[in-house]
PDB file of all heavy atoms in Angstrom:
ATOM      1  N   THR A   7      -1.149   7.834  -2.841  1.00  0.00           N
ATOM      2  CA  THR A   7      -0.034   6.880  -2.935  1.00  0.00           C
ATOM      3  C   THR A   7      -0.469   5.545  -3.543  1.00  0.00           C
ATOM      4  O   THR A   7       0.382   4.722  -3.882  1.00  0.00           O
ATOM      5  CB  THR A   7       0.581   6.595  -1.546  1.00  0.00           C
ATOM      6  OG1 THR A   7      -0.335   5.826  -0.745  1.00  0.00           O
ATOM      7  CG2 THR A   7       0.961   7.882  -0.834  1.00  0.00           C
ATOM      8  N   GLN A   8      -1.773   5.301  -3.639  1.00  0.00           N
ATOM      9  CA  GLN A   8      -2.263   4.032  -4.175  1.00  0.00           C
ATOM     10  C   GLN A   8      -2.264   4.073  -5.706  1.00  0.00           C
ATOM     11  O   GLN A   8      -2.836   4.972  -6.311  1.00  0.00           O
ATOM     12  CB  GLN A   8      -3.682   3.752  -3.678  1.00  0.00           C
ATOM     13  CG  GLN A   8      -4.235   2.395  -4.115  1.00  0.00           C
ATOM     14  CD  GLN A   8      -5.731   2.268  -3.856  1.00  0.00           C
ATOM     15  OE1 GLN A   8      -6.472   3.246  -4.007  1.00  0.00           O
ATOM     16  NE2 GLN A   8      -6.178   1.087  -3.473  1.00  0.00           N
ATOM     17  N   ASP A   9      -1.623   3.083  -6.334  1.00  0.00           N
ATOM     18  CA  ASP A   9      -1.629   2.952  -7.794  1.00  0.00           C
ATOM     19  C   ASP A   9      -2.686   1.918  -8.164  1.00  0.00           C
ATOM     20  O   ASP A   9      -2.479   0.718  -8.017  1.00  0.00           O
ATOM     21  CB  ASP A   9      -0.247   2.526  -8.286  1.00  0.00           C
ATOM     22  CG  ASP A   9      -0.131   2.558  -9.808  1.00  0.00           C
ATOM     23  OD1 ASP A   9      -1.184   2.542 -10.487  1.00  0.00           O
ATOM     24  OD2 ASP A   9       1.003   2.576 -10.313  1.00  0.00           O
ATOM     25  N   ARG A  10      -3.841   2.384  -8.611  1.00  0.00           N
ATOM     26  CA  ARG A  10      -4.944   1.470  -8.932  1.00  0.00           C
ATOM     27  C   ARG A  10      -4.842   0.903 -10.335  1.00  0.00           C
ATOM     28  O   ARG A  10      -5.566  -0.040 -10.663  1.00  0.00           O
ATOM     29  CB  ARG A  10      -6.283   2.206  -8.780  1.00  0.00           C
ATOM     30  CG  ARG A  10      -6.604   2.586  -7.349  1.00  0.00           C
ATOM     31  CD  ARG A  10      -7.976   3.227  -7.232  1.00  0.00           C
ATOM     32  NE  ARG A  10      -7.983   4.599  -7.699  1.00  0.00           N
ATOM     33  CZ  ARG A  10      -8.760   5.075  -8.658  1.00  0.00           C
ATOM     34  NH1 ARG A  10      -9.615   4.272  -9.265  1.00  0.00           N
ATOM     35  NH2 ARG A  10      -8.705   6.343  -9.007  1.00  0.00           N
ATOM     36  N   HIS A  11      -3.971   1.461 -11.166  1.00  0.00           N
ATOM     37  CA  HIS A  11      -3.947   1.087 -12.573  1.00  0.00           C
ATOM     38  C   HIS A  11      -2.622   0.466 -13.001  1.00  0.00           C
ATOM     39  O   HIS A  11      -2.355   0.335 -14.197  1.00  0.00           O
ATOM     40  CB  HIS A  11      -4.252   2.321 -13.429  1.00  0.00           C
ATOM     41  CG  HIS A  11      -5.518   3.009 -13.022  1.00  0.00           C
ATOM     42  ND1 HIS A  11      -6.763   2.430 -13.165  1.00  0.00           N
ATOM     43  CD2 HIS A  11      -5.729   4.230 -12.441  1.00  0.00           C
ATOM     44  CE1 HIS A  11      -7.692   3.248 -12.708  1.00  0.00           C
ATOM     45  NE2 HIS A  11      -7.098   4.353 -12.261  1.00  0.00           N
ATOM     46  N   ALA A  12      -1.786   0.080 -12.054  1.00  0.00           N
ATOM     47  CA  ALA A  12      -0.494  -0.519 -12.389  1.00  0.00           C
ATOM     48  C   ALA A  12      -0.688  -1.818 -13.165  1.00  0.00           C
ATOM     49  O   ALA A  12      -1.627  -2.586 -12.903  1.00  0.00           O
ATOM     50  CB  ALA A  12       0.305  -0.785 -11.124  1.00  0.00           C
ATOM     51  N   GLY A  13       0.206  -2.076 -14.089  1.00  0.00           N
ATOM     52  CA  GLY A  13       0.151  -3.338 -14.823  1.00  0.00           C
ATOM     53  C   GLY A  13       0.609  -4.523 -14.010  1.00  0.00           C
ATOM     54  O   GLY A  13       0.279  -5.674 -14.331  1.00  0.00           O
ATOM     55  N   ASP A  14       1.353  -4.258 -12.955  1.00  0.00           N
ATOM     56  CA  ASP A  14       1.854  -5.312 -12.077  1.00  0.00           C
ATOM     57  C   ASP A  14       0.768  -5.658 -11.058  1.00  0.00           C
ATOM     58  O   ASP A  14       0.393  -4.814 -10.244  1.00  0.00           O
ATOM     59  CB  ASP A  14       3.110  -4.818 -11.364  1.00  0.00           C
ATOM     60  CG  ASP A  14       3.816  -5.904 -10.557  1.00  0.00           C
ATOM     61  OD1 ASP A  14       3.162  -6.888 -10.173  1.00  0.00           O
ATOM     62  OD2 ASP A  14       5.025  -5.730 -10.306  1.00  0.00           O
ATOM     63  N   PRO A  15       0.241  -6.895 -11.066  1.00  0.00           N
ATOM     64  CA  PRO A  15      -0.840  -7.240 -10.132  1.00  0.00           C
ATOM     65  C   PRO A  15      -0.421  -7.217  -8.676  1.00  0.00           C
ATOM     66  O   PRO A  15      -1.285  -7.142  -7.787  1.00  0.00           O
ATOM     67  CB  PRO A  15      -1.252  -8.653 -10.564  1.00  0.00           C
ATOM     68  CG  PRO A  15      -0.045  -9.203 -11.259  1.00  0.00           C
ATOM     69  CD  PRO A  15       0.590  -8.025 -11.942  1.00  0.00           C
ATOM     70  N   GLY A  16       0.858  -7.258  -8.406  1.00  0.00           N
ATOM     71  CA  GLY A  16       1.317  -7.166  -7.028  1.00  0.00           C
ATOM     72  C   GLY A  16       1.373  -5.755  -6.498  1.00  0.00           C
ATOM     73  O   GLY A  16       1.516  -5.549  -5.295  1.00  0.00           O
ATOM     74  N   LEU A  17       1.255  -4.792  -7.396  1.00  0.00           N
ATOM     75  CA  LEU A  17       1.255  -3.380  -7.004  1.00  0.00           C
ATOM     76  C   LEU A  17      -0.143  -2.773  -7.091  1.00  0.00           C
ATOM     77  O   LEU A  17      -0.537  -1.991  -6.225  1.00  0.00           O
ATOM     78  CB  LEU A  17       2.218  -2.590  -7.902  1.00  0.00           C
ATOM     79  CG  LEU A  17       2.228  -1.068  -7.729  1.00  0.00           C
ATOM     80  CD1 LEU A  17       2.639  -0.679  -6.307  1.00  0.00           C
ATOM     81  CD2 LEU A  17       3.171  -0.415  -8.745  1.00  0.00           C
ATOM     82  N   ALA A  18      -0.903  -3.140  -8.090  1.00  0.00           N
ATOM     83  CA  ALA A  18      -2.185  -2.493  -8.367  1.00  0.00           C
ATOM     84  C   ALA A  18      -3.144  -2.604  -7.188  1.00  0.00           C
ATOM     85  O   ALA A  18      -3.518  -3.707  -6.784  1.00  0.00           O
ATOM     86  CB  ALA A  18      -2.825  -3.106  -9.609  1.00  0.00           C
ATOM     87  N   GLY A  19      -3.498  -1.470  -6.629  1.00  0.00           N
ATOM     88  CA  GLY A  19      -4.461  -1.420  -5.537  1.00  0.00           C
ATOM     89  C   GLY A  19      -3.877  -1.543  -4.155  1.00  0.00           C
ATOM     90  O   GLY A  19      -4.548  -1.256  -3.164  1.00  0.00           O
ATOM     91  N   GLY A  20      -2.643  -2.005  -4.046  1.00  0.00           N
ATOM     92  CA  GLY A  20      -2.021  -2.192  -2.739  1.00  0.00           C
ATOM     93  C   GLY A  20      -1.380  -0.914  -2.215  1.00  0.00           C
ATOM     94  O   GLY A  20      -1.297   0.101  -2.908  1.00  0.00           O
ATOM     95  N   ILE A  21      -0.938  -0.971  -0.973  1.00  0.00           N
ATOM     96  CA  ILE A  21      -0.288   0.165  -0.319  1.00  0.00           C
ATOM     97  C   ILE A  21       1.131  -0.250   0.058  1.00  0.00           C
ATOM     98  O   ILE A  21       1.339  -1.309   0.667  1.00  0.00           O
ATOM     99  CB  ILE A  21      -1.067   0.621   0.923  1.00  0.00           C
ATOM    100  CG1 ILE A  21      -2.488   1.038   0.555  1.00  0.00           C
ATOM    101  CG2 ILE A  21      -0.336   1.759   1.630  1.00  0.00           C
ATOM    102  CD1 ILE A  21      -2.589   2.234  -0.372  1.00  0.00           C
ATOM    103  N   THR A  22       2.088   0.567  -0.296  1.00  0.00           N
ATOM    104  CA  THR A  22       3.485   0.268   0.005  1.00  0.00           C
ATOM    105  C   THR A  22       3.811   0.598   1.459  1.00  0.00           C
ATOM    106  O   THR A  22       3.063   1.303   2.138  1.00  0.00           O
ATOM    107  CB  THR A  22       4.420   1.041  -0.935  1.00  0.00           C
ATOM    108  OG1 THR A  22       4.154   2.444  -0.824  1.00  0.00           O
ATOM    109  CG2 THR A  22       4.211   0.606  -2.380  1.00  0.00           C
ATOM    110  N   GLY A  23       4.948   0.106   1.909  1.00  0.00           N
ATOM    111  CA  GLY A  23       5.336   0.350   3.289  1.00  0.00           C
ATOM    112  C   GLY A  23       5.642   1.805   3.567  1.00  0.00           C
ATOM    113  O   GLY A  23       5.278   2.335   4.615  1.00  0.00           O
ATOM    114  N   SER A  24       6.306   2.457   2.626  1.00  0.00           N
ATOM    115  CA  SER A  24       6.766   3.830   2.843  1.00  0.00           C
ATOM    116  C   SER A  24       6.441   4.704   1.649  1.00  0.00           C
ATOM    117  O   SER A  24       6.185   4.221   0.543  1.00  0.00           O
ATOM    118  CB  SER A  24       8.288   3.847   3.051  1.00  0.00           C
ATOM    119  OG  SER A  24       8.690   3.102   4.169  1.00  0.00           O
ATOM    120  N   ASP A  25       6.465   5.984   1.882  1.00  0.00           N
ATOM    121  CA  ASP A  25       6.450   6.976   0.810  1.00  0.00           C
ATOM    122  C   ASP A  25       7.577   7.960   1.090  1.00  0.00           C
ATOM    123  O   ASP A  25       7.558   8.627   2.135  1.00  0.00           O
ATOM    124  CB  ASP A  25       5.111   7.712   0.749  1.00  0.00           C
ATOM    125  CG  ASP A  25       5.061   8.669  -0.428  1.00  0.00           C
ATOM    126  OD1 ASP A  25       4.873   8.181  -1.557  1.00  0.00           O
ATOM    127  OD2 ASP A  25       5.243   9.882  -0.208  1.00  0.00           O
ATOM    128  N   PRO A  26       8.577   8.046   0.172  1.00  0.00           N
ATOM    129  CA  PRO A  26       8.689   7.289  -1.067  1.00  0.00           C
ATOM    130  C   PRO A  26       8.887   5.802  -0.827  1.00  0.00           C
ATOM    131  O   PRO A  26       9.188   5.379   0.290  1.00  0.00           O
ATOM    132  CB  PRO A  26       9.906   7.911  -1.735  1.00  0.00           C
ATOM    133  CG  PRO A  26      10.736   8.431  -0.605  1.00  0.00           C
ATOM    134  CD  PRO A  26       9.756   8.902   0.421  1.00  0.00           C
ATOM    135  N   VAL A  27       8.718   5.030  -1.890  1.00  0.00           N
ATOM    136  CA  VAL A  27       8.726   3.571  -1.759  1.00  0.00           C
ATOM    137  C   VAL A  27      10.067   3.049  -1.272  1.00  0.00           C
ATOM    138  O   VAL A  27      10.152   1.938  -0.726  1.00  0.00           O
ATOM    139  CB  VAL A  27       8.327   2.931  -3.105  1.00  0.00           C
ATOM    140  CG1 VAL A  27       9.412   3.127  -4.147  1.00  0.00           C
ATOM    141  CG2 VAL A  27       7.976   1.465  -2.938  1.00  0.00           C
ATOM    142  N   SER A  28      11.117   3.842  -1.400  1.00  0.00           N
ATOM    143  CA  SER A  28      12.450   3.443  -0.942  1.00  0.00           C
ATOM    144  C   SER A  28      12.684   3.756   0.531  1.00  0.00           C
ATOM    145  O   SER A  28      13.774   3.523   1.051  1.00  0.00           O
ATOM    146  CB  SER A  28      13.520   4.158  -1.774  1.00  0.00           C
ATOM    147  OG  SER A  28      13.367   5.571  -1.647  1.00  0.00           O
ATOM    148  N   GLY A  29      11.659   4.284   1.226  1.00  0.00           N
ATOM    149  CA  GLY A  29      11.813   4.682   2.620  1.00  0.00           C
ATOM    150  C   GLY A  29      12.138   3.523   3.549  1.00  0.00           C
ATOM    151  O   GLY A  29      12.208   2.357   3.137  1.00  0.00           O
ATOM    152  N   GLY A  30      12.290   3.846   4.820  1.00  0.00           N
ATOM    153  CA  GLY A  30      12.853   2.901   5.776  1.00  0.00           C
ATOM    154  C   GLY A  30      11.922   1.852   6.331  1.00  0.00           C
ATOM    155  O   GLY A  30      12.355   0.998   7.107  1.00  0.00           O
ATOM    156  N   TYR A  31      10.638   1.864   5.979  1.00  0.00           N
ATOM    157  CA  TYR A  31       9.716   0.838   6.457  1.00  0.00           C
ATOM    158  C   TYR A  31       9.169   0.061   5.272  1.00  0.00           C
ATOM    159  O   TYR A  31       8.498   0.617   4.404  1.00  0.00           O
ATOM    160  CB  TYR A  31       8.567   1.447   7.258  1.00  0.00           C
ATOM    161  CG  TYR A  31       7.656   0.391   7.848  1.00  0.00           C
ATOM    162  CD1 TYR A  31       8.118  -0.436   8.877  1.00  0.00           C
ATOM    163  CD2 TYR A  31       6.376   0.182   7.363  1.00  0.00           C
ATOM    164  CE1 TYR A  31       7.307  -1.430   9.402  1.00  0.00           C
ATOM    165  CE2 TYR A  31       5.564  -0.801   7.891  1.00  0.00           C
ATOM    166  CZ  TYR A  31       6.032  -1.616   8.905  1.00  0.00           C
ATOM    167  OH  TYR A  31       5.240  -2.609   9.419  1.00  0.00           O
ATOM    168  N   GLY A  32       9.474  -1.233   5.229  1.00  0.00           N
ATOM    169  CA  GLY A  32       9.050  -2.060   4.105  1.00  0.00           C
ATOM    170  C   GLY A  32       9.489  -1.494   2.769  1.00  0.00           C
ATOM    171  O   GLY A  32       8.667  -1.348   1.855  1.00  0.00           O
ATOM    172  N   PRO A  33      10.791  -1.162   2.609  1.00  0.00           N
ATOM    173  CA  PRO A  33      11.210  -0.527   1.362  1.00  0.00           C
ATOM    174  C   PRO A  33      10.948  -1.417   0.143  1.00  0.00           C
ATOM    175  O   PRO A  33      11.189  -2.616   0.171  1.00  0.00           O
ATOM    176  CB  PRO A  33      12.713  -0.303   1.573  1.00  0.00           C
ATOM    177  CG  PRO A  33      13.113  -1.256   2.657  1.00  0.00           C
ATOM    178  CD  PRO A  33      11.913  -1.391   3.529  1.00  0.00           C
ATOM    179  N   HIS A  34      10.401  -0.815  -0.878  1.00  0.00           N
ATOM    180  CA  HIS A  34      10.108  -1.486  -2.142  1.00  0.00           C
ATOM    181  C   HIS A  34       9.191  -2.706  -1.960  1.00  0.00           C
ATOM    182  O   HIS A  34       9.327  -3.697  -2.660  1.00  0.00           O
ATOM    183  CB  HIS A  34      11.412  -1.911  -2.838  1.00  0.00           C
ATOM    184  CG  HIS A  34      12.329  -0.765  -3.109  1.00  0.00           C
ATOM    185  ND1 HIS A  34      12.080   0.193  -4.069  1.00  0.00           N
ATOM    186  CD2 HIS A  34      13.505  -0.412  -2.515  1.00  0.00           C
ATOM    187  CE1 HIS A  34      13.058   1.088  -4.069  1.00  0.00           C
ATOM    188  NE2 HIS A  34      13.931   0.744  -3.134  1.00  0.00           N
ATOM    189  N   GLU A  35       8.271  -2.590  -0.995  1.00  0.00           N
ATOM    190  CA  GLU A  35       7.308  -3.657  -0.768  1.00  0.00           C
ATOM    191  C   GLU A  35       5.886  -3.096  -0.691  1.00  0.00           C
ATOM    192  O   GLU A  35       5.669  -2.022  -0.131  1.00  0.00           O
ATOM    193  CB  GLU A  35       7.589  -4.385   0.551  1.00  0.00           C
ATOM    194  CG  GLU A  35       8.861  -5.194   0.584  1.00  0.00           C
ATOM    195  CD  GLU A  35       9.029  -5.853   1.943  1.00  0.00           C
ATOM    196  OE1 GLU A  35       9.573  -5.199   2.851  1.00  0.00           O
ATOM    197  OE2 GLU A  35       8.601  -7.017   2.095  1.00  0.00           O
ATOM    198  N   VAL A  36       4.948  -3.849  -1.241  1.00  0.00           N
ATOM    199  CA  VAL A  36       3.526  -3.629  -0.988  1.00  0.00           C
ATOM    200  C   VAL A  36       3.162  -4.568   0.153  1.00  0.00           C
ATOM    201  O   VAL A  36       3.455  -5.768   0.097  1.00  0.00           O
ATOM    202  CB  VAL A  36       2.684  -3.938  -2.237  1.00  0.00           C
ATOM    203  CG1 VAL A  36       1.207  -3.642  -1.975  1.00  0.00           C
ATOM    204  CG2 VAL A  36       3.188  -3.143  -3.435  1.00  0.00           C
ATOM    205  N   LEU A  37       2.542  -4.059   1.208  1.00  0.00           N
ATOM    206  CA  LEU A  37       2.342  -4.826   2.438  1.00  0.00           C
ATOM    207  C   LEU A  37       0.864  -5.134   2.670  1.00  0.00           C
ATOM    208  O   LEU A  37       0.006  -4.265   2.513  1.00  0.00           O
ATOM    209  CB  LEU A  37       2.883  -4.041   3.633  1.00  0.00           C
ATOM    210  CG  LEU A  37       4.367  -3.674   3.584  1.00  0.00           C
ATOM    211  CD1 LEU A  37       4.746  -2.829   4.801  1.00  0.00           C
ATOM    212  CD2 LEU A  37       5.249  -4.919   3.505  1.00  0.00           C
ATOM    213  N   SER A  38       0.596  -6.368   3.096  1.00  0.00           N
ATOM    214  CA  SER A  38      -0.794  -6.762   3.339  1.00  0.00           C
ATOM    215  C   SER A  38      -1.416  -5.945   4.461  1.00  0.00           C
ATOM    216  O   SER A  38      -2.600  -5.590   4.403  1.00  0.00           O
ATOM    217  CB  SER A  38      -0.875  -8.259   3.661  1.00  0.00           C
ATOM    218  OG  SER A  38      -0.132  -8.588   4.831  1.00  0.00           O
ATOM    219  N   TRP A  39      -0.637  -5.610   5.488  1.00  0.00           N
ATOM    220  CA  TRP A  39      -1.197  -4.864   6.617  1.00  0.00           C
ATOM    221  C   TRP A  39      -1.360  -3.386   6.291  1.00  0.00           C
ATOM    222  O   TRP A  39      -2.296  -2.763   6.768  1.00  0.00           O
ATOM    223  CB  TRP A  39      -0.409  -5.108   7.887  1.00  0.00           C
ATOM    224  CG  TRP A  39       1.035  -4.740   7.901  1.00  0.00           C
ATOM    225  CD1 TRP A  39       1.602  -3.626   8.431  1.00  0.00           C
ATOM    226  CD2 TRP A  39       2.135  -5.536   7.397  1.00  0.00           C
ATOM    227  NE1 TRP A  39       2.973  -3.664   8.293  1.00  0.00           N
ATOM    228  CE2 TRP A  39       3.327  -4.830   7.668  1.00  0.00           C
ATOM    229  CE3 TRP A  39       2.222  -6.784   6.755  1.00  0.00           C
ATOM    230  CZ2 TRP A  39       4.584  -5.312   7.300  1.00  0.00           C
ATOM    231  CZ3 TRP A  39       3.472  -7.267   6.396  1.00  0.00           C
ATOM    232  CH2 TRP A  39       4.632  -6.539   6.668  1.00  0.00           C
ATOM    233  N   ALA A  40      -0.481  -2.829   5.476  1.00  0.00           N
ATOM    234  CA  ALA A  40      -0.683  -1.443   5.035  1.00  0.00           C
ATOM    235  C   ALA A  40      -1.987  -1.337   4.245  1.00  0.00           C
ATOM    236  O   ALA A  40      -2.772  -0.394   4.426  1.00  0.00           O
ATOM    237  CB  ALA A  40       0.494  -0.985   4.186  1.00  0.00           C
ATOM    238  N   THR A  41      -2.228  -2.322   3.390  1.00  0.00           N
ATOM    239  CA  THR A  41      -3.443  -2.321   2.582  1.00  0.00           C
ATOM    240  C   THR A  41      -4.665  -2.536   3.459  1.00  0.00           C
ATOM    241  O   THR A  41      -5.707  -1.895   3.276  1.00  0.00           O
ATOM    242  CB  THR A  41      -3.338  -3.399   1.494  1.00  0.00           C
ATOM    243  OG1 THR A  41      -2.109  -3.223   0.765  1.00  0.00           O
ATOM    244  CG2 THR A  41      -4.508  -3.331   0.527  1.00  0.00           C
ATOM    245  N   LYS A  42      -4.566  -3.409   4.454  1.00  0.00           N
ATOM    246  CA  LYS A  42      -5.674  -3.642   5.394  1.00  0.00           C
ATOM    247  C   LYS A  42      -6.044  -2.364   6.148  1.00  0.00           C
ATOM    248  O   LYS A  42      -7.230  -1.986   6.247  1.00  0.00           O
ATOM    249  CB  LYS A  42      -5.285  -4.741   6.381  1.00  0.00           C
ATOM    250  CG  LYS A  42      -6.221  -4.916   7.597  1.00  0.00           C
ATOM    251  CD  LYS A  42      -5.674  -4.232   8.833  1.00  0.00           C
ATOM    252  CE  LYS A  42      -6.410  -4.499  10.122  1.00  0.00           C
ATOM    253  NZ  LYS A  42      -7.813  -4.764  10.179  1.00  0.00           N
ATOM    254  N   PHE A  43      -5.045  -1.675   6.701  1.00  0.00           N
ATOM    255  CA  PHE A  43      -5.325  -0.475   7.484  1.00  0.00           C
ATOM    256  C   PHE A  43      -5.836   0.663   6.600  1.00  0.00           C
ATOM    257  O   PHE A  43      -6.614   1.513   7.066  1.00  0.00           O
ATOM    258  CB  PHE A  43      -4.099  -0.059   8.287  1.00  0.00           C
ATOM    259  CG  PHE A  43      -3.834  -0.941   9.480  1.00  0.00           C
ATOM    260  CD1 PHE A  43      -2.669  -1.688   9.576  1.00  0.00           C
ATOM    261  CD2 PHE A  43      -4.761  -1.040  10.503  1.00  0.00           C
ATOM    262  CE1 PHE A  43      -2.429  -2.514  10.672  1.00  0.00           C
ATOM    263  CE2 PHE A  43      -4.538  -1.856  11.602  1.00  0.00           C
ATOM    264  CZ  PHE A  43      -3.377  -2.595  11.688  1.00  0.00           C
ATOM    265  N   PHE A  44      -5.434   0.685   5.351  1.00  0.00           N
ATOM    266  CA  PHE A  44      -5.968   1.645   4.390  1.00  0.00           C
ATOM    267  C   PHE A  44      -7.471   1.410   4.190  1.00  0.00           C
ATOM    268  O   PHE A  44      -8.271   2.349   4.223  1.00  0.00           O
ATOM    269  CB  PHE A  44      -5.210   1.493   3.068  1.00  0.00           C
ATOM    270  CG  PHE A  44      -5.687   2.356   1.940  1.00  0.00           C
ATOM    271  CD1 PHE A  44      -5.464   3.725   1.943  1.00  0.00           C
ATOM    272  CD2 PHE A  44      -6.319   1.788   0.843  1.00  0.00           C
ATOM    273  CE1 PHE A  44      -5.880   4.518   0.880  1.00  0.00           C
ATOM    274  CE2 PHE A  44      -6.739   2.568  -0.224  1.00  0.00           C
ATOM    275  CZ  PHE A  44      -6.519   3.940  -0.209  1.00  0.00           C
ATOM    276  N   VAL A  45      -7.863   0.151   4.011  1.00  0.00           N
ATOM    277  CA  VAL A  45      -9.283  -0.180   3.868  1.00  0.00           C
ATOM    278  C   VAL A  45     -10.045   0.223   5.129  1.00  0.00           C
ATOM    279  O   VAL A  45     -11.116   0.841   5.064  1.00  0.00           O
ATOM    280  CB  VAL A  45      -9.469  -1.680   3.565  1.00  0.00           C
ATOM    281  CG1 VAL A  45     -10.941  -2.075   3.639  1.00  0.00           C
ATOM    282  CG2 VAL A  45      -8.898  -2.024   2.193  1.00  0.00           C
ATOM    283  N   ASP A  46      -9.505  -0.124   6.299  1.00  0.00           N
ATOM    284  CA  ASP A  46     -10.160   0.252   7.563  1.00  0.00           C
ATOM    285  C   ASP A  46     -10.390   1.760   7.635  1.00  0.00           C
ATOM    286  O   ASP A  46     -11.468   2.224   8.030  1.00  0.00           O
ATOM    287  CB  ASP A  46      -9.295  -0.166   8.761  1.00  0.00           C
ATOM    288  CG  ASP A  46      -9.223  -1.661   8.967  1.00  0.00           C
ATOM    289  OD1 ASP A  46     -10.052  -2.396   8.396  1.00  0.00           O
ATOM    290  OD2 ASP A  46      -8.327  -2.095   9.720  1.00  0.00           O
ATOM    291  N   ALA A  47      -9.351   2.524   7.279  1.00  0.00           N
ATOM    292  CA  ALA A  47      -9.432   3.979   7.386  1.00  0.00           C
ATOM    293  C   ALA A  47     -10.516   4.538   6.463  1.00  0.00           C
ATOM    294  O   ALA A  47     -11.306   5.405   6.863  1.00  0.00           O
ATOM    295  CB  ALA A  47      -8.080   4.597   7.058  1.00  0.00           C
ATOM    296  N   LEU A  48     -10.570   4.037   5.230  1.00  0.00           N
ATOM    297  CA  LEU A  48     -11.561   4.558   4.293  1.00  0.00           C
ATOM    298  C   LEU A  48     -12.976   4.158   4.695  1.00  0.00           C
ATOM    299  O   LEU A  48     -13.921   4.956   4.553  1.00  0.00           O
ATOM    300  CB  LEU A  48     -11.257   4.068   2.870  1.00  0.00           C
ATOM    301  CG  LEU A  48      -9.940   4.537   2.243  1.00  0.00           C
ATOM    302  CD1 LEU A  48      -9.925   4.213   0.751  1.00  0.00           C
ATOM    303  CD2 LEU A  48      -9.676   6.018   2.453  1.00  0.00           C
ATOM    304  N   LEU A  49     -13.150   2.950   5.190  1.00  0.00           N
ATOM    305  CA  LEU A  49     -14.482   2.532   5.639  1.00  0.00           C
ATOM    306  C   LEU A  49     -14.962   3.390   6.805  1.00  0.00           C
ATOM    307  O   LEU A  49     -16.131   3.812   6.851  1.00  0.00           O
ATOM    308  CB  LEU A  49     -14.471   1.055   6.035  1.00  0.00           C
ATOM    309  CG  LEU A  49     -14.324   0.051   4.893  1.00  0.00           C
ATOM    310  CD1 LEU A  49     -14.189  -1.368   5.459  1.00  0.00           C
ATOM    311  CD2 LEU A  49     -15.509   0.108   3.931  1.00  0.00           C
ATOM    312  N   LEU A  50     -14.078   3.653   7.750  1.00  0.00           N
ATOM    313  CA  LEU A  50     -14.448   4.501   8.876  1.00  0.00           C
ATOM    314  C   LEU A  50     -14.715   5.935   8.431  1.00  0.00           C
ATOM    315  O   LEU A  50     -15.649   6.586   8.913  1.00  0.00           O
ATOM    316  CB  LEU A  50     -13.355   4.483   9.943  1.00  0.00           C
ATOM    317  CG  LEU A  50     -13.336   3.268  10.864  1.00  0.00           C
ATOM    318  CD1 LEU A  50     -12.067   3.263  11.708  1.00  0.00           C
ATOM    319  CD2 LEU A  50     -14.566   3.256  11.767  1.00  0.00           C
TER     320      LEU A  50
END
């Protein structure tokens, strides 16, 4: 679900609230906490 190559700097590398992006949690948003927990998960 991570788009590492997006031209939009607000999307590139971040994690959206939902999949699909229109879903019911943080719709159409890249969230700082989603991205944080993604990093935590991969490090662990």
Side-chain angles (χ1 to χ4, degrees):
T7 70
Q8 184 192 37
D9 188 340
R10 293 184 284 123
H11 307 294
D14 187 337
L17 174 61
I21 300 297
T22 57
S24 299
D25 184 77
V27 70
S28 59
Y31 184 69
H34 302 289
E35 292 180 274
V36 183
L37 301 177
S38 61
W39 60 100
T41 308
K42 169 261 188 329
F43 286 117
F44 177 71
V45 171
D46 290 344
L48 296 192
L49 290 174
L50 281 170

